[in-house]
Amino acid sequence: MRYLFDDFVLDPDRRQLRRAGDPIELEPQVFDLLVFLVRTRDRVASRDDLLEAVWHGRIVSESTLSSRINAARTAIGDNGTTQRLIRTLPRKGVRFVGDVREEEERKPKAELEPVSRQAAFKDSVVEVPSIAVLPFANMSGDQEDDYFADGMAEEIITGLAQCSGLTVVARNSSFTFRGRSVDVRQIGNELGASYVLEGSVRRSDKRLRITAQLIDARSGGHLWADRFDGDLSDVFELQDRITQSVVAVIEPKLLFTEASRARRRPTQSLDAYNLYLRALSLINEYTPEATAAALGCLDKALELDATYAQAMAASACYRGLSHFQGWTERSDEPRPRGVQLAWDAIALAPNDPHVLWMAAFAIWVLAKDGPRSQDLFRRSVSINPNSEIATTLAGWVEAANGNPATGRELIEKSRRLNPTPPTPWVALAGMAFTYIVEGKYTEAVQWAEQAVAQNRRFAFALRSLAVALVKTGGMDRARLIVNEILKTEPNATVAGLPDRMPYVNEPVLQTYIETLRQAGLPK
């Protein structure tokens, strides 16, 4: 069943929202919220209704709920002032009030009854995500450009092979579809691929244009597309840049899509991998409740598979995040447990870049071991130089170890790799931190303000902004920021700051302690 309103088409089966034929990307919770409101448009949906339908009964903050409703409005050209399609009724709830036409989609028989060696796309079974990179089409009309198109696809295959938790179909298999006009879902069935990446290369005089798009092989829906232009004079440099950009964007897209898919399955069907993905989806909410729920999923995953290195590393990382944010009471238990999980994960998967950076974060925050975390981040980035989040955090740790210029270079690289990451505030706060380490507080204020604007619950960004404001004479504003810190971390004190902070060199730590004390953080 599809729902048509204005010039939008909402397709729950394919999890797509389109406007005039163009896809609109939505976060999973926003999509689920919109579908629920459209399906129940004959009545007002209460807050409890929304929590049950979208968050499966978990309690979330009013700000989280409001942000998802506002995002749904924005996606369909509505807003909180006019409320033309989604109307809020005070003290009652929310209702979709637009005119909707329902349409049954007629599917060809072949689509209704697929025959495949991958009878696999069943919700009861979760498979490791796999991707097939098809040969790029040469749109130049010159057969001499075939080598470049093939080389582009081969470089991307090599780059994707570095992504942990992702299987890449071999070149010899995916290249059998060269020149064939085949439905992408059939390609996915034949190759056993969850996703298909296809693209084209066009040369005009001394310019090159390369396009690429990522497609869900199960639904045929487009997940991502981009275009890259460059000069033919340095074709290999351009090829490297495109490969880095494609890999950097695809890796979080794949994790995000798989996590949201797992989240919609009934809990009783989840195995260790499902639980791991559910934890990844929960952590995006960035709340103490969601983080605790994610850790619960990871604990269950490790009960099913005690050697699951990725779940170990994620558990260690999220324990570090809870401590980093002030979401846990001071206790000796979480820190040793998190550090042990980190080292166990590294022992089991010493060359997995995803395991390395997550474990390194835990060791930086919980063990306060700057040199070891620095080494682990360097190893992770050397194995997969295209991971935006690993590169960002590697920059944080370089600055914490007294190398702010190197740290800033890494964070700037991460922002080039993926200009629209899932957690942009991490890079922005990292930039502020590098300037604080250098004593350049005016620049630190500018970056910290951007980070706080992206996420007002990010404790380190709030702390850094308060520090930089005190140093630049903005004491009144710094006191207001300290009040926000206390909302995020009610038990925050000056005395507890050394325990809460990750490893930073002593002069920088003393700068945070002294300035936050001046700004009114309780002793």
Side-chain angles (χ1 to χ4, degrees), residues 379-393:
R379 282 169 56 188
S380 174
V381 172
S382 69
I383 295 170
N384 181 12
N386 302 313
S387 173
E388 172 267 330
I389 185 62
T391 304
T392 297
L393 292 174

Side-chain angles (χ1 to χ4, degrees), residues 357-372:
W357 80 254
M358 294 191 99
F361 179 80
I363 290 165
W364 180 46
V365 174
L366 299 177
K368 301 189 185 301
D369 191 330
R372 286 191 179 184

Side-chain angles (χ1 to χ4, degrees), residues 224-283:
W224 168 86
D226 208 345
R227 183 179 69 198
F228 303 89
D229 294 306
D231 197 316
L232 191 61
S233 62
D234 198 351
V235 64
F236 296 112
E237 180 180 342
L238 176 63
Q239 187 178 51
D240 288 343
R241 181 166 63 86
I242 295 165
T243 301
Q244 289 179 355
S245 300
V246 169
V247 173
V249 173
I250 284 176
E251 183 177 24
K253 283 283 185 185
L254 290 170
L255 287 173
F256 187 71
T257 303
E258 284 297 315
S260 64
R261 179 176 285 115
R263 190 174 188 172
R264 297 192 298 274
R265 293 188 178 92
T267 302
Q268 60 266 26
S269 73
L270 298 176
D271 58 9
Y273 180 62
N274 268 323
L275 287 160
Y276 171 68
L277 291 178
R278 184 180 287 269
L280 293 185
S281 71
L282 286 165
I283 209 68

Side-chain angles (χ1 to χ4, degrees), residues 10-17 24 26-33 35 219 221-223 257 260-261 264:
L10 181 64
D11 189 336
D13 293 334
R14 287 194 170 92
R15 292 192 66 78
Q16 290 180 349
L17 175 67
I24 298 173
L26 294 177
E27 292 183 15
Q29 289 176 351
V30 178
F31 186 89
D32 292 342
L33 175 68
V35 170
S219 68
H222 286 68
L223 299 175
T257 303
S260 64
R261 179 176 285 115
R264 297 192 298 274

Side-chain angles (χ1 to χ4, degrees), residues 378-507:
R378 287 176 175 177
R379 282 169 56 188
S380 174
V381 172
S382 69
I383 295 170
N384 181 12
N386 302 313
S387 173
E388 172 267 330
I389 185 62
T391 304
T392 297
L393 292 174
W396 274 83
V397 172
E398 287 293 336
N401 279 277
N403 304 315
T406 301
R408 191 155 50 247
E409 288 176 6
L410 285 166
I411 296 170
E412 288 171 343
K413 177 187 175 184
S414 77
R415 301 181 77 228
R416 291 193 300 272
L417 284 171
N418 188 358
T420 57
T423 55
W425 55 85
V426 178
L428 295 170
M431 291 292 287
F433 179 62
T434 66
Y435 283 114
I436 286 174
V437 174
E438 284 188 335
K440 298 179 179 179
Y441 299 108
T442 300
E443 292 90 340
V445 168
Q446 296 169 357
W447 288 100
E449 284 182 331
Q450 293 182 62
V452 170
Q454 289 283 345
N455 185 348
R456 301 199 77 86
R457 298 190 302 272
F458 190 30
F460 206 103
L462 290 167
R463 295 173 200 157
S464 297
L465 180 54
V467 168
L469 286 169
V470 170
K471 288 291 190 178
T472 54
M475 185 62 75
D476 290 341
R477 284 195 61 210
R479 290 193 176 102
L480 293 174
I481 296 300
V482 166
N483 289 335
E484 290 203 41
I485 292 173
L486 292 171
K487 292 177 184 177
T488 299
E489 188 181 353
N491 298 320
T493 62
V494 172
L497 196 60
D499 176 74
R500 190 64 71 195
M501 291 276 286
Y503 169 84
V504 296
N505 60 38
E506 189 60 27

